[in-house]
Amino acid sequence: QVQVVESGGGLVQHGGSLTLSCVTSGFTLDDHTIGWFRQAPGKEREGVGCISSSDNRTNYVGSVRGRLTISRDNAKNTLYLQMNSLKPEDTAVYYCAATTVPYLVAVRAAASYGYWGQGTQVTVSS
């Protein structure tokens, strides 16, 4: 049974930091690109970044580049999203998801992701 479980969300002040975790099971993690997405109230879900399946290359969207870092530990079946210099506009539910699409295009290919977590809420106060 496939499971994708995010954790680590919470309330943080503007300019603060937070690290989200994503634990996976039921599929071969190192065969998959992993993406992080977010959805703010009243807005569509958007990709924020992804990490390649085998060599840990990353790709981020412009609005978060330099502030967010994705990493993975395949031995622990765990992914991480480190978020620094958080802004109120980063407030959203954050999701972890898995796809076999290459990382360079995966961040904008949400429909290709077959495995999704339930999300974790991140709230940034002003």
Side-chain angles (χ1 to χ4, degrees), residues 94-109:
Y94 283 73
Y95 299 89
C96 172
T99 180
T100 55
V101 171
Y103 81 102
L104 281 177
V105 297
V107 70
R108 301 190 187 281

mmCIF file with all atom_site columns, all heavy atoms in Angstrom, residues 94-109:
data_model
loop_
_atom_site.group_PDB
_atom_site.id
_atom_site.type_symbol
_atom_site.label_atom_id
_atom_site.label_alt_id
_atom_site.label_comp_id
_atom_site.label_asym_id
_atom_site.label_entity_id
_atom_site.label_seq_id
_atom_site.pdbx_PDB_ins_code
_atom_site.Cartn_x
_atom_site.Cartn_y
_atom_site.Cartn_z
_atom_site.occupancy
_atom_site.B_iso_or_equiv
_atom_site.pdbx_formal_charge
_atom_site.auth_seq_id
_atom_site.auth_comp_id
_atom_site.auth_asym_id
_atom_site.auth_atom_id
_atom_site.pdbx_PDB_model_num
ATOM 1   N N   . TYR A 1 94  ? 0.911  22.403 2.197   1.00 0.00 ? 94  TYR A N   1
ATOM 2   C CA  . TYR A 1 94  ? 2.030  21.898 1.408   1.00 0.00 ? 94  TYR A CA  1
ATOM 3   C C   . TYR A 1 94  ? 1.904  20.391 1.237   1.00 0.00 ? 94  TYR A C   1
ATOM 4   O O   . TYR A 1 94  ? 1.650  19.666 2.207   1.00 0.00 ? 94  TYR A O   1
ATOM 5   C CB  . TYR A 1 94  ? 3.351  22.250 2.074   1.00 0.00 ? 94  TYR A CB  1
ATOM 6   C CG  . TYR A 1 94  ? 3.729  23.696 1.871   1.00 0.00 ? 94  TYR A CG  1
ATOM 7   C CD1 . TYR A 1 94  ? 3.054  24.711 2.540   1.00 0.00 ? 94  TYR A CD1 1
ATOM 8   C CD2 . TYR A 1 94  ? 4.738  24.061 0.981   1.00 0.00 ? 94  TYR A CD2 1
ATOM 9   C CE1 . TYR A 1 94  ? 3.372  26.043 2.326   1.00 0.00 ? 94  TYR A CE1 1
ATOM 10  C CE2 . TYR A 1 94  ? 5.072  25.395 0.777   1.00 0.00 ? 94  TYR A CE2 1
ATOM 11  C CZ  . TYR A 1 94  ? 4.372  26.370 1.449   1.00 0.00 ? 94  TYR A CZ  1
ATOM 12  O OH  . TYR A 1 94  ? 4.691  27.699 1.234   1.00 0.00 ? 94  TYR A OH  1
ATOM 13  N N   . TYR A 1 95  ? 2.110  19.966 -0.010  1.00 0.00 ? 95  TYR A N   1
ATOM 14  C CA  . TYR A 1 95  ? 1.970  18.565 -0.362  1.00 0.00 ? 95  TYR A CA  1
ATOM 15  C C   . TYR A 1 95  ? 3.268  18.028 -0.946  1.00 0.00 ? 95  TYR A C   1
ATOM 16  O O   . TYR A 1 95  ? 3.968  18.711 -1.689  1.00 0.00 ? 95  TYR A O   1
ATOM 17  C CB  . TYR A 1 95  ? 0.873  18.376 -1.415  1.00 0.00 ? 95  TYR A CB  1
ATOM 18  C CG  . TYR A 1 95  ? -0.498 18.818 -0.997  1.00 0.00 ? 95  TYR A CG  1
ATOM 19  C CD1 . TYR A 1 95  ? -0.925 20.128 -1.202  1.00 0.00 ? 95  TYR A CD1 1
ATOM 20  C CD2 . TYR A 1 95  ? -1.377 17.915 -0.397  1.00 0.00 ? 95  TYR A CD2 1
ATOM 21  C CE1 . TYR A 1 95  ? -2.185 20.535 -0.826  1.00 0.00 ? 95  TYR A CE1 1
ATOM 22  C CE2 . TYR A 1 95  ? -2.646 18.319 -0.012  1.00 0.00 ? 95  TYR A CE2 1
ATOM 23  C CZ  . TYR A 1 95  ? -3.042 19.628 -0.234  1.00 0.00 ? 95  TYR A CZ  1
ATOM 24  O OH  . TYR A 1 95  ? -4.303 20.024 0.145   1.00 0.00 ? 95  TYR A OH  1
ATOM 25  N N   . CYS A 1 96  ? 3.501  16.767 -0.678  1.00 0.00 ? 96  CYS A N   1
ATOM 26  C CA  . CYS A 1 96  ? 4.599  16.015 -1.267  1.00 0.00 ? 96  CYS A CA  1
ATOM 27  C C   . CYS A 1 96  ? 3.980  15.009 -2.232  1.00 0.00 ? 96  CYS A C   1
ATOM 28  O O   . CYS A 1 96  ? 2.924  14.428 -1.942  1.00 0.00 ? 96  CYS A O   1
ATOM 29  C CB  . CYS A 1 96  ? 5.340  15.310 -0.127  1.00 0.00 ? 96  CYS A CB  1
ATOM 30  S SG  . CYS A 1 96  ? 6.605  14.148 -0.601  1.00 0.00 ? 96  CYS A SG  1
ATOM 31  N N   . ALA A 1 97  ? 4.630  14.801 -3.368  1.00 0.00 ? 97  ALA A N   1
ATOM 32  C CA  . ALA A 1 97  ? 4.065  13.891 -4.358  1.00 0.00 ? 97  ALA A CA  1
ATOM 33  C C   . ALA A 1 97  ? 5.176  13.246 -5.171  1.00 0.00 ? 97  ALA A C   1
ATOM 34  O O   . ALA A 1 97  ? 6.287  13.781 -5.261  1.00 0.00 ? 97  ALA A O   1
ATOM 35  C CB  . ALA A 1 97  ? 3.106  14.634 -5.274  1.00 0.00 ? 97  ALA A CB  1
ATOM 36  N N   . ALA A 1 98  ? 4.872  12.106 -5.777  1.00 0.00 ? 98  ALA A N   1
ATOM 37  C CA  . ALA A 1 98  ? 5.865  11.342 -6.528  1.00 0.00 ? 98  ALA A CA  1
ATOM 38  C C   . ALA A 1 98  ? 5.426  11.124 -7.967  1.00 0.00 ? 98  ALA A C   1
ATOM 39  O O   . ALA A 1 98  ? 4.257  10.860 -8.239  1.00 0.00 ? 98  ALA A O   1
ATOM 40  C CB  . ALA A 1 98  ? 6.109  9.989  -5.853  1.00 0.00 ? 98  ALA A CB  1
ATOM 41  N N   . THR A 1 99  ? 6.415  11.224 -8.872  1.00 0.00 ? 99  THR A N   1
ATOM 42  C CA  . THR A 1 99  ? 6.166  11.016 -10.297 1.00 0.00 ? 99  THR A CA  1
ATOM 43  C C   . THR A 1 99  ? 7.390  10.367 -10.934 1.00 0.00 ? 99  THR A C   1
ATOM 44  O O   . THR A 1 99  ? 8.484  10.403 -10.364 1.00 0.00 ? 99  THR A O   1
ATOM 45  C CB  . THR A 1 99  ? 5.871  12.356 -10.998 1.00 0.00 ? 99  THR A CB  1
ATOM 46  O OG1 . THR A 1 99  ? 5.636  12.118 -12.396 1.00 0.00 ? 99  THR A OG1 1
ATOM 47  C CG2 . THR A 1 99  ? 7.056  13.311 -10.870 1.00 0.00 ? 99  THR A CG2 1
ATOM 48  N N   . THR A 1 100 ? 7.207  9.823  -12.117 1.00 0.00 ? 100 THR A N   1
ATOM 49  C CA  . THR A 1 100 ? 8.347  9.300  -12.869 1.00 0.00 ? 100 THR A CA  1
ATOM 50  C C   . THR A 1 100 ? 8.789  10.268 -13.958 1.00 0.00 ? 100 THR A C   1
ATOM 51  O O   . THR A 1 100 ? 9.695  9.965  -14.732 1.00 0.00 ? 100 THR A O   1
ATOM 52  C CB  . THR A 1 100 ? 8.004  7.934  -13.496 1.00 0.00 ? 100 THR A CB  1
ATOM 53  O OG1 . THR A 1 100 ? 6.814  8.068  -14.284 1.00 0.00 ? 100 THR A OG1 1
ATOM 54  C CG2 . THR A 1 100 ? 7.778  6.880  -12.417 1.00 0.00 ? 100 THR A CG2 1
ATOM 55  N N   . VAL A 1 101 ? 8.173  11.431 -14.016 1.00 0.00 ? 101 VAL A N   1
ATOM 56  C CA  . VAL A 1 101 ? 8.559  12.467 -14.976 1.00 0.00 ? 101 VAL A CA  1
ATOM 57  C C   . VAL A 1 101 ? 9.895  13.068 -14.553 1.00 0.00 ? 101 VAL A C   1
ATOM 58  O O   . VAL A 1 101 ? 10.129 13.272 -13.364 1.00 0.00 ? 101 VAL A O   1
ATOM 59  C CB  . VAL A 1 101 ? 7.473  13.554 -15.043 1.00 0.00 ? 101 VAL A CB  1
ATOM 60  C CG1 . VAL A 1 101 ? 7.936  14.755 -15.852 1.00 0.00 ? 101 VAL A CG1 1
ATOM 61  C CG2 . VAL A 1 101 ? 6.189  12.984 -15.616 1.00 0.00 ? 101 VAL A CG2 1
ATOM 62  N N   . PRO A 1 102 ? 10.788 13.361 -15.478 1.00 0.00 ? 102 PRO A N   1
ATOM 63  C CA  . PRO A 1 102 ? 12.082 13.956 -15.120 1.00 0.00 ? 102 PRO A CA  1
ATOM 64  C C   . PRO A 1 102 ? 11.941 15.266 -14.366 1.00 0.00 ? 102 PRO A C   1
ATOM 65  O O   . PRO A 1 102 ? 11.013 16.042 -14.600 1.00 0.00 ? 102 PRO A O   1
ATOM 66  C CB  . PRO A 1 102 ? 12.752 14.170 -16.479 1.00 0.00 ? 102 PRO A CB  1
ATOM 67  C CG  . PRO A 1 102 ? 12.139 13.142 -17.359 1.00 0.00 ? 102 PRO A CG  1
ATOM 68  C CD  . PRO A 1 102 ? 10.713 13.022 -16.907 1.00 0.00 ? 102 PRO A CD  1
ATOM 69  N N   . TYR A 1 103 ? 12.885 15.544 -13.482 1.00 0.00 ? 103 TYR A N   1
ATOM 70  C CA  . TYR A 1 103 ? 12.757 16.655 -12.545 1.00 0.00 ? 103 TYR A CA  1
ATOM 71  C C   . TYR A 1 103 ? 12.691 18.013 -13.237 1.00 0.00 ? 103 TYR A C   1
ATOM 72  O O   . TYR A 1 103 ? 12.059 18.936 -12.727 1.00 0.00 ? 103 TYR A O   1
ATOM 73  C CB  . TYR A 1 103 ? 13.904 16.632 -11.538 1.00 0.00 ? 103 TYR A CB  1
ATOM 74  C CG  . TYR A 1 103 ? 15.208 17.236 -12.030 1.00 0.00 ? 103 TYR A CG  1
ATOM 75  C CD1 . TYR A 1 103 ? 15.585 18.509 -11.636 1.00 0.00 ? 103 TYR A CD1 1
ATOM 76  C CD2 . TYR A 1 103 ? 16.044 16.524 -12.900 1.00 0.00 ? 103 TYR A CD2 1
ATOM 77  C CE1 . TYR A 1 103 ? 16.769 19.069 -12.084 1.00 0.00 ? 103 TYR A CE1 1
ATOM 78  C CE2 . TYR A 1 103 ? 17.218 17.072 -13.352 1.00 0.00 ? 103 TYR A CE2 1
ATOM 79  C CZ  . TYR A 1 103 ? 17.586 18.349 -12.945 1.00 0.00 ? 103 TYR A CZ  1
ATOM 80  O OH  . TYR A 1 103 ? 18.755 18.900 -13.394 1.00 0.00 ? 103 TYR A OH  1
ATOM 81  N N   . LEU A 1 104 ? 13.326 18.145 -14.397 1.00 0.00 ? 104 LEU A N   1
ATOM 82  C CA  . LEU A 1 104 ? 13.355 19.459 -15.047 1.00 0.00 ? 104 LEU A CA  1
ATOM 83  C C   . LEU A 1 104 ? 11.963 19.933 -15.453 1.00 0.00 ? 104 LEU A C   1
ATOM 84  O O   . LEU A 1 104 ? 11.713 21.129 -15.545 1.00 0.00 ? 104 LEU A O   1
ATOM 85  C CB  . LEU A 1 104 ? 14.290 19.431 -16.250 1.00 0.00 ? 104 LEU A CB  1
ATOM 86  C CG  . LEU A 1 104 ? 15.774 19.533 -15.924 1.00 0.00 ? 104 LEU A CG  1
ATOM 87  C CD1 . LEU A 1 104 ? 16.613 19.418 -17.181 1.00 0.00 ? 104 LEU A CD1 1
ATOM 88  C CD2 . LEU A 1 104 ? 16.095 20.842 -15.205 1.00 0.00 ? 104 LEU A CD2 1
ATOM 89  N N   . VAL A 1 105 ? 11.066 19.010 -15.703 1.00 0.00 ? 105 VAL A N   1
ATOM 90  C CA  . VAL A 1 105 ? 9.707  19.392 -16.123 1.00 0.00 ? 105 VAL A CA  1
ATOM 91  C C   . VAL A 1 105 ? 8.678  19.058 -15.053 1.00 0.00 ? 105 VAL A C   1
ATOM 92  O O   . VAL A 1 105 ? 7.537  19.527 -15.114 1.00 0.00 ? 105 VAL A O   1
ATOM 93  C CB  . VAL A 1 105 ? 9.327  18.725 -17.456 1.00 0.00 ? 105 VAL A CB  1
ATOM 94  C CG1 . VAL A 1 105 ? 10.255 19.203 -18.556 1.00 0.00 ? 105 VAL A CG1 1
ATOM 95  C CG2 . VAL A 1 105 ? 9.361  17.205 -17.349 1.00 0.00 ? 105 VAL A CG2 1
ATOM 96  N N   . ALA A 1 106 ? 9.056  18.278 -14.073 1.00 0.00 ? 106 ALA A N   1
ATOM 97  C CA  . ALA A 1 106 ? 8.080  17.741 -13.120 1.00 0.00 ? 106 ALA A CA  1
ATOM 98  C C   . ALA A 1 106 ? 7.409  18.813 -12.274 1.00 0.00 ? 106 ALA A C   1
ATOM 99  O O   . ALA A 1 106 ? 6.265  18.644 -11.865 1.00 0.00 ? 106 ALA A O   1
ATOM 100 C CB  . ALA A 1 106 ? 8.748  16.719 -12.213 1.00 0.00 ? 106 ALA A CB  1
ATOM 101 N N   . VAL A 1 107 ? 8.125  19.919 -11.988 1.00 0.00 ? 107 VAL A N   1
ATOM 102 C CA  . VAL A 1 107 ? 7.550  20.915 -11.095 1.00 0.00 ? 107 VAL A CA  1
ATOM 103 C C   . VAL A 1 107 ? 6.287  21.539 -11.670 1.00 0.00 ? 107 VAL A C   1
ATOM 104 O O   . VAL A 1 107 ? 5.446  22.040 -10.934 1.00 0.00 ? 107 VAL A O   1
ATOM 105 C CB  . VAL A 1 107 ? 8.599  21.993 -10.759 1.00 0.00 ? 107 VAL A CB  1
ATOM 106 C CG1 . VAL A 1 107 ? 8.898  22.867 -11.964 1.00 0.00 ? 107 VAL A CG1 1
ATOM 107 C CG2 . VAL A 1 107 ? 8.161  22.834 -9.575  1.00 0.00 ? 107 VAL A CG2 1
ATOM 108 N N   . ARG A 1 108 ? 6.123  21.508 -12.971 1.00 0.00 ? 108 ARG A N   1
ATOM 109 C CA  . ARG A 1 108 ? 4.943  22.087 -13.613 1.00 0.00 ? 108 ARG A CA  1
ATOM 110 C C   . ARG A 1 108 ? 4.051  21.021 -14.221 1.00 0.00 ? 108 ARG A C   1
ATOM 111 O O   . ARG A 1 108 ? 3.207  21.332 -15.066 1.00 0.00 ? 108 ARG A O   1
ATOM 112 C CB  . ARG A 1 108 ? 5.377  23.094 -14.675 1.00 0.00 ? 108 ARG A CB  1
ATOM 113 C CG  . ARG A 1 108 ? 6.216  24.221 -14.109 1.00 0.00 ? 108 ARG A CG  1
ATOM 114 C CD  . ARG A 1 108 ? 6.437  25.342 -15.095 1.00 0.00 ? 108 ARG A CD  1
ATOM 115 N NE  . ARG A 1 108 ? 7.380  26.325 -14.598 1.00 0.00 ? 108 ARG A NE  1
ATOM 116 C CZ  . ARG A 1 108 ? 7.085  27.266 -13.725 1.00 0.00 ? 108 ARG A CZ  1
ATOM 117 N NH1 . ARG A 1 108 ? 5.860  27.368 -13.268 1.00 0.00 ? 108 ARG A NH1 1
ATOM 118 N NH2 . ARG A 1 108 ? 8.003  28.124 -13.314 1.00 0.00 ? 108 ARG A NH2 1
ATOM 119 N N   . ALA A 1 109 ? 4.225  19.775 -13.803 1.00 0.00 ? 109 ALA A N   1
ATOM 120 C CA  . ALA A 1 109 ? 3.446  18.669 -14.370 1.00 0.00 ? 109 ALA A CA  1
ATOM 121 C C   . ALA A 1 109 ? 2.673  17.952 -13.270 1.00 0.00 ? 109 ALA A C   1
ATOM 122 O O   . ALA A 1 109 ? 2.795  16.745 -13.107 1.00 0.00 ? 109 ALA A O   1
ATOM 123 C CB  . ALA A 1 109 ? 4.375  17.708 -15.101 1.00 0.00 ? 109 ALA A CB  1
#
